[in-house]
Amino acid sequence: MTPDAPTTENANTHPWADGIRVRGARTHNLHNVDLDLPRDAIVAFTGVSGSGKSSLAFGTIFAEAQRRYLESVSPYARRLIDQAGIPDVDELEGMPPAVALQQARGGSSGRSDVATTTQLSSVVRMLFSRAGEYPPNQPMLYAEDFSPNTPEGACPECHGMGRVFDVPEELMVPDDSLTIRERAVASWPVAWAGQNQRDILVSRGIDVDIPWRKLPKKTRDWILYTEERPTEPVYAGLTPAQTRKARQQRREPSYMGTFVGARRYVLDTFANTKSEVMKRRVSQFVRGVLCPHCEGSRIKAEALRVTVAGHNIADFSAFPLAELHQLATTLARDDAGQSVTHTSTFSDAAVTRKLANDLATRLEPMIALGLGYLSLDRATPTLSGGERQRLRLATQLSSKLFGVAYVLDEPSAGLHPRDLDSLVGILHGLKERGNSVLVVEHSLAVIAEADWLVDIGPGAGEQGGRVLYSGPPAGIADVEESATRRYLASSGRAARPSKHRQPQGRLILNSVECNTIRGLDVAFPLGCLTAVTGVSGAGKSSLIGRALPELVRQQLGQTAPTEEAEATHAEAELLLGGNTVTVRGTAAFEGSTIKRVVVIDQKPIGRTPRSNVATYTGLFDNVRRLFAATPEAKRRKYTASRFSFNVAGGRCPNCEGEGAVMVELLFMPSIYSPCPECGGARYEPNTLEITWREHSIADVLACSVDDAITLFDREERILAALHALHDVGLGYVRLGQPATELSGGEAQRVKLATELQRSGRSSTLYVLDEPTAGLHPADADRLMGHLHRLVNDGGTVIMAELDMRLVAEADHVIDLGPGAGIEGGKVVAAGTPEEVARHPSSASAPYLMAALT
Ligand code: ADP
Ligand code: ADP
Ligand code: ZN
Ligand code: ZN
């Protein structure tokens, strides 16, 4: 296919003149889709989850536009794209150069923050370099000197990380009543290597049989912190007294052992080990702490001495964007420019005004998109996917590009209805500047504002992939098959239960402190469904995603499940560049209690293609047992572990069972591409010869949940898990679909399904943070049905939710606010949906009222 060969029909006209023309799109589940879209318009793609919206908008239209563009610039890029997979489409015409803003599925590097993501960092640095006030005798610095990400600007102590590793005594020695022989130093290696350390101390005459705390401080500090590596004779198996004697008699030692300080051992292992297990083990003893040199600002001292309007660059980075905007606006005004830097000449003042004005202008769309509470130094990994996307959207506005197609993934995610108008305004702004805007959307308010609607469906996976409607939004009213139609037509009212559930008791949180929440007291009814609302940045996630589970677990004397706990480890702390969150407060129960708290969030179910739906839900264990029980497997003595791709044996040795290998791309995030050895099958050929009902183990992983229901129709335990997945709307997902390919919403539903197949759901508290982000209203209704089921079975559900149609269904509503950031964090209104809807000053009230009437 030659990209730019005009077809006969439009050979005489500009190929873009008629809009965007797609012919024969077959990416993923698309059924040979033909589609014509207007250009310079806002086009919304709708359809239930898994119907093929992303496959069409991102996987086909964007990917093909991108491929042609890259192909035209570099044959090298072409090879990489070939590896990443070419969209399956016969023809794409009229597509302008495209920019995609997607909700990032993976994490991002520890170095990126709001300033770098928005490119505001360069403006601010220029402002400090050119218009800053310098201490007497300090020469002017370059813009790079104000950056933590350049060797010139970075704090020399922490290399611009803002944090350094600390291995404190209380982590290495959790119980100081133990003796060294009783493993007081918990961070020592286990087994022989740890014993070796102890024997060396015995040789040095240190008492290993008295409680740690009774040892002299000097000795304790030496054991923990020494950087020396002394070599000592070791007499294995001798008591301390015998050892002393042996040394005096200069007897031949068993061997010479080298002692390593406990802290040094932890740091070296942490930095150098290749073993995940070892790394995880030692990371328990490491803590990231604020760099004492730069106090976390990551910048060298000289740069911190330069000020603008009396603030240094660290202050600038810490201000909420809304405040920074005010400051910049003041600086940009004629009169203020001079008063700020009294030493400056007229031209300096003009430079200040220009740069300040630039800063203010670029901040405006961010504030309009409800992000005024963020600060420049906020690390990107701590932002929600929605926040990240809106930041990048706002940044695009400042770039003043035109003639571009923007492809966006649910830009309304995480946005309060109050701020949807600004979003729509910004999309219109892009269009008016001469751009095309393609959005995958679920928000009915945004869809209704589009110029063109493409509805895909009718179902998910095989049952989807067809264009049900393409035209102005109003026209969808006649499309019977469409699940979107119902919601647009009826302004989306849900069937609400007429009576609210009565609380079975209360969960009371007192004096909660977390992020911007300060000293909050709040109560949640047990045995009910509670919705927590509030504008973006009001503190919903901080309260229910962070503080609540942690405080409740403390009260119950439980610890977080390992995957969550891992995230709090030192490495994560360091990666988050000081943005780790501490939680304070107390939890108490009244009238009734709970036994367990389960957080069902949108975090990936795994970070590599190694985890997938089958392994996460546990059903794969049963599948492997089935394979091991086949006559041929028995004959060959293949056990269940032979069918695992996580241990050596049956798996493909090249990709070690990942089915994919990492491809590093220049200037682009690295991607996984299929393993050339097994072609993605994950197994070596012999293992694949074993079949169950004519399916190899790789075939099973390639099955969708729905196909697997047919395949395993007599295997009850496997079926239970499969039915739960089907019930949460994941029937289209392949069993082996890697965790890295699942969207946040899909990951969340996998977790929900895993919970639904469990027994003993009463006395469980379920916490969900914006569970309907990424869901079509029809899927959202289905999800709500499941949540009600959990409550009817005796559970308690607390969710952060912004779709007032669903909030209206809750038994109890807690509206946080009144504003975002430090202006939020308080309970503005609490009560039944009807009560909150009548509150005079709650930002959610008018929208909730509209949903109720
Ligand atoms: P939507 O965006 O409407 O939720 P998708 O386009 O993501 O739907 O998915 C449509 C179908 O394509 C689903 O059956 C999904 O499982 C499948 N699919 C999505 N991504 C991939 C992929 N990378 N490889 C194969 N199939 C995929
Ligand atoms: P919501 O969920 O209502 O959008 P959040 O709880 O995410 O609000 O945010 C409340 C405030 O706490 C905001 O000012 C936000 O910037 C801040 N915040 C949230 N998470 C972090 C974090 N990891 N580090 C620093 N600040 C945070
Ligand atoms: Zn530092
Ligand atoms: Zn392989």
Side-chain angles (χ1 to χ4, degrees), residues 762-813:
S762 62
S763 319
T764 302
L765 168 62
Y766 299 93
V767 178
L768 298 95
D769 193 357
E770 295 186 30
T772 64
L775 292 192
H776 186 274
D779 296 316
D781 282 346
R782 181 141 64 155
L783 176 76
M784 286 299 283
H786 289 301
L787 299 182
H788 282 300
R789 212 174 99 196
L790 290 173
V791 180
N792 292 340
D793 287 354
T796 299
V797 171
I798 300 175
M799 63 175 196
E801 183 55 63
L802 288 171
D803 185 342
M804 295 302 154
R805 196 176 65 84
L806 305 174
V807 173
E809 271 191 58
D811 301 308
H812 190 76
V813 178

Short mmCIF file of all heavy atoms in Angstrom, two decimals, residues 762-813:
data_model
loop_
_atom_site.label_atom_id
_atom_site.label_comp_id
_atom_site.label_asym_id
_atom_site.label_seq_id
_atom_site.Cartn_x
_atom_site.Cartn_y
_atom_site.Cartn_z
N SER A 762 -20.29 -10.70 53.51
CA SER A 762 -20.85 -9.82 54.52
C SER A 762 -19.70 -9.33 55.39
O SER A 762 -18.62 -9.90 55.38
CB SER A 762 -21.88 -10.57 55.36
OG SER A 762 -21.25 -11.62 56.02
N SER A 763 -19.92 -8.28 56.12
CA SER A 763 -18.90 -7.68 56.98
C SER A 763 -17.67 -7.24 56.21
O SER A 763 -16.59 -7.15 56.76
CB SER A 763 -18.43 -8.63 58.09
OG SER A 763 -19.48 -9.32 58.62
N THR A 764 -17.84 -7.03 54.91
CA THR A 764 -16.70 -6.52 54.15
C THR A 764 -17.01 -5.09 53.71
O THR A 764 -18.15 -4.78 53.36
CB THR A 764 -16.44 -7.39 52.90
OG1 THR A 764 -16.19 -8.72 53.34
CG2 THR A 764 -15.25 -6.89 52.12
N LEU A 765 -15.98 -4.24 53.79
CA LEU A 765 -16.12 -2.88 53.34
C LEU A 765 -15.40 -2.74 52.00
O LEU A 765 -14.21 -3.02 51.90
CB LEU A 765 -15.51 -1.92 54.38
CG LEU A 765 -15.30 -0.46 53.98
CD1 LEU A 765 -16.63 0.20 53.65
CD2 LEU A 765 -14.60 0.29 55.10
N TYR A 766 -16.14 -2.37 50.97
CA TYR A 766 -15.55 -2.19 49.64
C TYR A 766 -15.35 -0.71 49.36
O TYR A 766 -16.27 0.08 49.56
CB TYR A 766 -16.46 -2.79 48.57
CG TYR A 766 -16.67 -4.27 48.74
CD1 TYR A 766 -17.76 -4.75 49.45
CD2 TYR A 766 -15.76 -5.17 48.21
CE1 TYR A 766 -17.95 -6.11 49.64
CE2 TYR A 766 -15.95 -6.54 48.38
CZ TYR A 766 -17.04 -6.99 49.11
OH TYR A 766 -17.22 -8.34 49.28
N VAL A 767 -14.16 -0.38 48.92
CA VAL A 767 -13.86 1.01 48.62
C VAL A 767 -13.52 1.14 47.14
O VAL A 767 -12.67 0.41 46.64
CB VAL A 767 -12.66 1.48 49.47
CG1 VAL A 767 -12.31 2.92 49.13
CG2 VAL A 767 -12.97 1.33 50.95
N LEU A 768 -14.20 2.04 46.45
CA LEU A 768 -13.96 2.20 45.01
C LEU A 768 -13.78 3.68 44.69
O LEU A 768 -14.62 4.50 45.03
CB LEU A 768 -15.12 1.64 44.19
CG LEU A 768 -15.40 0.15 44.33
CD1 LEU A 768 -16.48 -0.10 45.35
CD2 LEU A 768 -15.79 -0.44 42.99
N ASP A 769 -12.68 3.99 44.02
CA ASP A 769 -12.42 5.37 43.64
C ASP A 769 -12.80 5.59 42.18
O ASP A 769 -12.19 5.03 41.28
CB ASP A 769 -10.93 5.67 43.86
CG ASP A 769 -10.64 7.16 43.79
OD1 ASP A 769 -11.59 7.93 43.53
OD2 ASP A 769 -9.48 7.53 44.01
N GLU A 770 -13.83 6.36 41.95
CA GLU A 770 -14.35 6.63 40.60
C GLU A 770 -14.44 5.37 39.74
O GLU A 770 -13.80 5.26 38.70
CB GLU A 770 -13.51 7.70 39.92
CG GLU A 770 -13.63 9.03 40.65
CD GLU A 770 -12.94 10.18 39.96
OE1 GLU A 770 -12.84 10.16 38.73
OE2 GLU A 770 -12.52 11.10 40.67
N PRO A 771 -15.26 4.43 40.19
CA PRO A 771 -15.33 3.14 39.50
C PRO A 771 -15.89 3.23 38.10
O PRO A 771 -15.66 2.34 37.29
CB PRO A 771 -16.25 2.31 40.39
CG PRO A 771 -17.07 3.29 41.13
CD PRO A 771 -16.18 4.48 41.35
N THR A 772 -16.60 4.29 37.77
CA THR A 772 -17.24 4.31 36.45
C THR A 772 -16.44 5.08 35.42
O THR A 772 -16.90 5.23 34.28
CB THR A 772 -18.66 4.89 36.53
OG1 THR A 772 -18.57 6.26 36.93
CG2 THR A 772 -19.51 4.12 37.50
N ALA A 773 -15.25 5.58 35.79
CA ALA A 773 -14.42 6.24 34.79
C ALA A 773 -14.13 5.24 33.68
O ALA A 773 -13.79 4.09 33.94
CB ALA A 773 -13.11 6.73 35.42
N GLY A 774 -14.30 5.65 32.44
CA GLY A 774 -14.02 4.76 31.32
C GLY A 774 -15.18 3.84 30.99
O GLY A 774 -15.06 2.99 30.11
N LEU A 775 -16.30 3.97 31.68
CA LEU A 775 -17.43 3.07 31.40
C LEU A 775 -18.56 3.80 30.67
O LEU A 775 -18.93 4.92 31.02
CB LEU A 775 -17.99 2.51 32.71
CG LEU A 775 -17.13 1.54 33.50
CD1 LEU A 775 -17.97 0.88 34.59
CD2 LEU A 775 -16.53 0.49 32.59
N HIS A 776 -19.08 3.13 29.69
CA HIS A 776 -20.30 3.57 29.02
C HIS A 776 -21.42 3.56 30.07
O HIS A 776 -21.40 2.72 30.97
CB HIS A 776 -20.61 2.57 27.90
CG HIS A 776 -21.76 2.98 27.04
ND1 HIS A 776 -23.06 2.68 27.36
CD2 HIS A 776 -21.81 3.66 25.86
CE1 HIS A 776 -23.86 3.16 26.40
NE2 HIS A 776 -23.11 3.75 25.49
N PRO A 777 -22.38 4.49 29.95
CA PRO A 777 -23.47 4.50 30.94
C PRO A 777 -24.11 3.12 31.13
O PRO A 777 -24.49 2.76 32.26
CB PRO A 777 -24.47 5.50 30.37
CG PRO A 777 -23.70 6.37 29.44
CD PRO A 777 -22.49 5.60 28.99
N ALA A 778 -24.21 2.34 30.07
CA ALA A 778 -24.83 1.01 30.21
C ALA A 778 -23.95 0.11 31.08
O ALA A 778 -24.44 -0.66 31.90
CB ALA A 778 -25.03 0.38 28.84
N ASP A 779 -22.63 0.21 30.91
CA ASP A 779 -21.71 -0.58 31.75
C ASP A 779 -21.74 -0.06 33.18
O ASP A 779 -21.65 -0.84 34.13
CB ASP A 779 -20.28 -0.46 31.22
CG ASP A 779 -20.12 -1.05 29.84
OD1 ASP A 779 -20.66 -2.14 29.62
OD2 ASP A 779 -19.47 -0.41 28.99
N ALA A 780 -21.86 1.26 33.31
CA ALA A 780 -21.89 1.85 34.64
C ALA A 780 -23.12 1.34 35.40
O ALA A 780 -23.03 1.01 36.59
CB ALA A 780 -21.90 3.37 34.55
N ASP A 781 -24.24 1.24 34.71
CA ASP A 781 -25.45 0.73 35.36
C ASP A 781 -25.26 -0.71 35.82
O ASP A 781 -25.70 -1.11 36.89
CB ASP A 781 -26.65 0.81 34.40
CG ASP A 781 -27.19 2.23 34.30
OD1 ASP A 781 -26.81 3.05 35.17
OD2 ASP A 781 -27.98 2.51 33.38
N ARG A 782 -24.60 -1.48 34.97
CA ARG A 782 -24.36 -2.87 35.32
C ARG A 782 -23.46 -2.96 36.56
O ARG A 782 -23.71 -3.72 37.48
CB ARG A 782 -23.70 -3.58 34.14
CG ARG A 782 -23.44 -5.02 34.43
CD ARG A 782 -23.69 -5.90 33.25
NE ARG A 782 -22.77 -5.62 32.16
CZ ARG A 782 -22.47 -6.53 31.23
NH1 ARG A 782 -22.99 -7.74 31.31
NH2 ARG A 782 -21.66 -6.24 30.26
N LEU A 783 -22.42 -2.11 36.57
CA LEU A 783 -21.51 -2.09 37.71
C LEU A 783 -22.26 -1.71 38.98
O LEU A 783 -22.11 -2.34 40.04
CB LEU A 783 -20.39 -1.08 37.46
CG LEU A 783 -19.43 -0.91 38.62
CD1 LEU A 783 -18.48 -2.09 38.70
CD2 LEU A 783 -18.65 0.39 38.49
N MET A 784 -23.14 -0.71 38.87
CA MET A 784 -23.91 -0.30 40.05
C MET A 784 -24.76 -1.46 40.55
O MET A 784 -24.91 -1.65 41.75
CB MET A 784 -24.82 0.89 39.70
CG MET A 784 -24.08 2.20 39.54
SD MET A 784 -23.20 2.73 41.02
CE MET A 784 -24.54 3.36 42.02
N GLY A 785 -25.29 -2.23 39.60
CA GLY A 785 -26.07 -3.41 39.98
C GLY A 785 -25.24 -4.34 40.87
O GLY A 785 -25.72 -4.83 41.89
N HIS A 786 -23.97 -4.54 40.49
CA HIS A 786 -23.09 -5.41 41.28
C HIS A 786 -22.81 -4.83 42.64
O HIS A 786 -22.76 -5.54 43.64
CB HIS A 786 -21.78 -5.65 40.55
CG HIS A 786 -21.92 -6.53 39.36
ND1 HIS A 786 -22.40 -7.81 39.45
CD2 HIS A 786 -21.69 -6.30 38.06
CE1 HIS A 786 -22.45 -8.34 38.24
NE2 HIS A 786 -22.02 -7.44 37.37
N LEU A 787 -22.63 -3.51 42.68
CA LEU A 787 -22.34 -2.88 43.97
C LEU A 787 -23.54 -3.01 44.91
O LEU A 787 -23.40 -3.29 46.09
CB LEU A 787 -21.95 -1.42 43.77
CG LEU A 787 -20.69 -1.20 42.92
CD1 LEU A 787 -20.35 0.28 42.81
CD2 LEU A 787 -19.50 -1.97 43.49
N HIS A 788 -24.74 -2.84 44.34
CA HIS A 788 -25.94 -3.03 45.16
C HIS A 788 -26.01 -4.46 45.67
O HIS A 788 -26.42 -4.71 46.79
CB HIS A 788 -27.20 -2.68 44.36
CG HIS A 788 -27.44 -1.20 44.25
ND1 HIS A 788 -27.64 -0.41 45.36
CD2 HIS A 788 -27.50 -0.37 43.19
CE1 HIS A 788 -27.82 0.85 44.98
NE2 HIS A 788 -27.72 0.90 43.65
N ARG A 789 -25.59 -5.41 44.83
CA ARG A 789 -25.61 -6.81 45.24
C ARG A 789 -24.68 -7.03 46.43
O ARG A 789 -25.02 -7.73 47.37
CB ARG A 789 -25.16 -7.67 44.06
CG ARG A 789 -25.81 -9.03 44.01
CD ARG A 789 -25.42 -9.73 42.73
NE ARG A 789 -24.34 -10.68 42.95
CZ ARG A 789 -23.61 -11.20 41.95
NH1 ARG A 789 -23.85 -10.86 40.68
NH2 ARG A 789 -22.66 -12.06 42.21
N LEU A 790 -23.50 -6.41 46.38
CA LEU A 790 -22.56 -6.54 47.49
C LEU A 790 -23.19 -6.01 48.78
O LEU A 790 -23.03 -6.59 49.85
CB LEU A 790 -21.26 -5.78 47.20
CG LEU A 790 -20.36 -6.35 46.11
CD1 LEU A 790 -19.20 -5.40 45.80
CD2 LEU A 790 -19.81 -7.72 46.51
N VAL A 791 -23.91 -4.90 48.68
CA VAL A 791 -24.54 -4.31 49.87
C VAL A 791 -25.68 -5.20 50.34
O VAL A 791 -25.84 -5.45 51.53
CB VAL A 791 -25.03 -2.87 49.59
CG1 VAL A 791 -25.68 -2.28 50.83
CG2 VAL A 791 -23.88 -2.00 49.12
N ASN A 792 -26.48 -5.72 49.39
CA ASN A 792 -27.59 -6.60 49.78
C ASN A 792 -27.08 -7.86 50.46
O ASN A 792 -27.78 -8.46 51.27
CB ASN A 792 -28.42 -6.96 48.55
CG ASN A 792 -29.17 -5.76 48.00
OD1 ASN A 792 -29.36 -4.78 48.72
ND2 ASN A 792 -29.57 -5.82 46.74
N ASP A 793 -25.87 -8.29 50.13
CA ASP A 793 -25.29 -9.47 50.78
C ASP A 793 -24.65 -9.14 52.12
O ASP A 793 -23.93 -9.95 52.69
CB ASP A 793 -24.20 -10.08 49.87
CG ASP A 793 -24.79 -10.79 48.68
OD1 ASP A 793 -26.03 -10.92 48.62
OD2 ASP A 793 -24.02 -11.21 47.80
N GLY A 794 -24.85 -7.92 52.59
CA GLY A 794 -24.34 -7.57 53.92
C GLY A 794 -23.07 -6.75 53.90
O GLY A 794 -22.49 -6.45 54.95
N GLY A 795 -22.60 -6.37 52.74
CA GLY A 795 -21.39 -5.56 52.65
C GLY A 795 -21.69 -4.08 52.75
O GLY A 795 -22.84 -3.65 52.84
N THR A 796 -20.63 -3.30 52.77
CA THR A 796 -20.73 -1.85 52.76
C THR A 796 -19.93 -1.34 51.57
O THR A 796 -18.82 -1.82 51.35
CB THR A 796 -20.14 -1.25 54.05
OG1 THR A 796 -20.88 -1.75 55.17
CG2 THR A 796 -20.17 0.28 54.05
N VAL A 797 -20.48 -0.42 50.81
CA VAL A 797 -19.75 0.13 49.67
C VAL A 797 -19.58 1.64 49.84
O VAL A 797 -20.55 2.34 50.15
CB VAL A 797 -20.48 -0.17 48.34
CG1 VAL A 797 -19.83 0.59 47.18
CG2 VAL A 797 -20.47 -1.67 48.05
N ILE A 798 -18.35 2.09 49.69
CA ILE A 798 -18.09 3.53 49.70
C ILE A 798 -17.35 3.85 48.42
O ILE A 798 -16.30 3.27 48.14
CB ILE A 798 -17.23 3.94 50.92
CG1 ILE A 798 -17.95 3.57 52.21
CG2 ILE A 798 -16.92 5.43 50.87
CD1 ILE A 798 -17.14 3.80 53.46
N MET A 799 -17.92 4.74 47.61
CA MET A 799 -17.27 5.04 46.34
C MET A 799 -17.20 6.53 46.08
O MET A 799 -18.08 7.28 46.48
CB MET A 799 -18.02 4.35 45.20
CG MET A 799 -19.44 4.82 45.02
SD MET A 799 -20.12 4.03 43.54
CE MET A 799 -21.54 5.03 43.23
N ALA A 800 -16.10 6.95 45.44
CA ALA A 800 -16.03 8.32 44.96
C ALA A 800 -16.67 8.30 43.59
O ALA A 800 -16.38 7.43 42.78
CB ALA A 800 -14.59 8.78 44.87
N GLU A 801 -17.58 9.23 43.33
CA GLU A 801 -18.29 9.19 42.05
C GLU A 801 -18.69 10.60 41.63
O GLU A 801 -19.05 11.41 42.46
CB GLU A 801 -19.53 8.29 42.17
CG GLU A 801 -20.31 8.10 40.90
CD GLU A 801 -19.47 7.59 39.74
OE1 GLU A 801 -18.94 6.47 39.83
OE2 GLU A 801 -19.33 8.32 38.73
N LEU A 802 -18.58 10.87 40.35
CA LEU A 802 -18.90 12.21 39.85
C LEU A 802 -20.09 12.21 38.91
O LEU A 802 -20.59 13.26 38.55
CB LEU A 802 -17.68 12.78 39.13
CG LEU A 802 -16.55 13.16 40.07
CD1 LEU A 802 -15.31 13.53 39.30
CD2 LEU A 802 -16.99 14.33 40.94
N ASP A 803 -20.54 11.02 38.50
CA ASP A 803 -21.69 10.95 37.63
C ASP A 803 -22.94 11.01 38.51
O ASP A 803 -23.27 10.04 39.20
CB ASP A 803 -21.64 9.65 36.81
CG ASP A 803 -22.76 9.58 35.79
OD1 ASP A 803 -23.75 10.33 35.93
OD2 ASP A 803 -22.65 8.76 34.85
N MET A 804 -23.60 12.15 38.48
CA MET A 804 -24.71 12.37 39.41
C MET A 804 -25.89 11.43 39.17
O MET A 804 -26.68 11.16 40.05
CB MET A 804 -25.20 13.83 39.34
CG MET A 804 -24.14 14.80 39.81
SD MET A 804 -23.59 14.48 41.50
CE MET A 804 -21.94 15.17 41.46
N ARG A 805 -25.97 10.92 37.95
CA ARG A 805 -26.99 9.93 37.63
C ARG A 805 -26.83 8.72 38.55
O ARG A 805 -27.80 8.10 38.97
CB ARG A 805 -26.78 9.51 36.17
CG ARG A 805 -27.90 8.79 35.51
CD ARG A 805 -27.53 8.55 34.05
NE ARG A 805 -26.38 7.66 33.90
CZ ARG A 805 -26.45 6.33 33.91
NH1 ARG A 805 -27.61 5.74 34.06
NH2 ARG A 805 -25.36 5.62 33.77
N LEU A 806 -25.58 8.37 38.86
CA LEU A 806 -25.31 7.22 39.71
C LEU A 806 -25.30 7.61 41.19
O LEU A 806 -25.74 6.84 42.04
CB LEU A 806 -23.96 6.59 39.33
CG LEU A 806 -23.86 6.22 37.85
CD1 LEU A 806 -22.47 5.74 37.52
CD2 LEU A 806 -24.89 5.16 37.48
N VAL A 807 -24.82 8.82 41.47
CA VAL A 807 -24.84 9.30 42.86
C VAL A 807 -26.27 9.28 43.37
O VAL A 807 -26.54 8.96 44.53
CB VAL A 807 -24.22 10.71 42.95
CG1 VAL A 807 -24.39 11.29 44.35
CG2 VAL A 807 -22.75 10.68 42.55
N ALA A 808 -27.20 9.60 42.48
CA ALA A 808 -28.61 9.64 42.86
C ALA A 808 -29.10 8.28 43.35
O ALA A 808 -30.09 8.19 44.07
CB ALA A 808 -29.46 10.10 41.67
N GLU A 809 -28.40 7.23 42.99
CA GLU A 809 -28.79 5.87 43.39
C GLU A 809 -28.27 5.47 44.76
O GLU A 809 -28.59 4.40 45.26
CB GLU A 809 -28.18 4.86 42.41
CG GLU A 809 -28.99 4.53 41.23
CD GLU A 809 -28.36 3.34 40.52
OE1 GLU A 809 -28.21 2.27 41.15
OE2 GLU A 809 -28.01 3.50 39.34
N ALA A 810 -27.39 6.29 45.35
CA ALA A 810 -26.76 5.90 46.61
C ALA A 810 -27.73 6.06 47.78
O ALA A 810 -28.75 6.74 47.66
CB ALA A 810 -25.53 6.75 46.85
N ASP A 811 -27.41 5.38 48.88
CA ASP A 811 -28.21 5.56 50.09
C ASP A 811 -27.80 6.84 50.80
O ASP A 811 -28.60 7.49 51.46
CB ASP A 811 -27.99 4.38 51.05
CG ASP A 811 -28.36 3.06 50.41
OD1 ASP A 811 -29.49 2.95 49.90
OD2 ASP A 811 -27.52 2.13 50.43
N HIS A 812 -26.52 7.17 50.67
CA HIS A 812 -25.97 8.28 51.44
C HIS A 812 -24.94 9.00 50.58
O HIS A 812 -24.22 8.36 49.82
CB HIS A 812 -25.29 7.69 52.70
CG HIS A 812 -24.87 8.71 53.70
ND1 HIS A 812 -25.75 9.35 54.53
CD2 HIS A 812 -23.64 9.21 54.02
CE1 HIS A 812 -25.09 10.19 55.32
NE2 HIS A 812 -23.80 10.12 55.03
N VAL A 813 -24.89 10.31 50.68
CA VAL A 813 -23.94 11.10 49.88
C VAL A 813 -23.12 11.98 50.82
O VAL A 813 -23.65 12.57 51.76
CB VAL A 813 -24.67 12.00 48.86
CG1 VAL A 813 -23.67 12.85 48.07
CG2 VAL A 813 -25.51 11.15 47.90
#
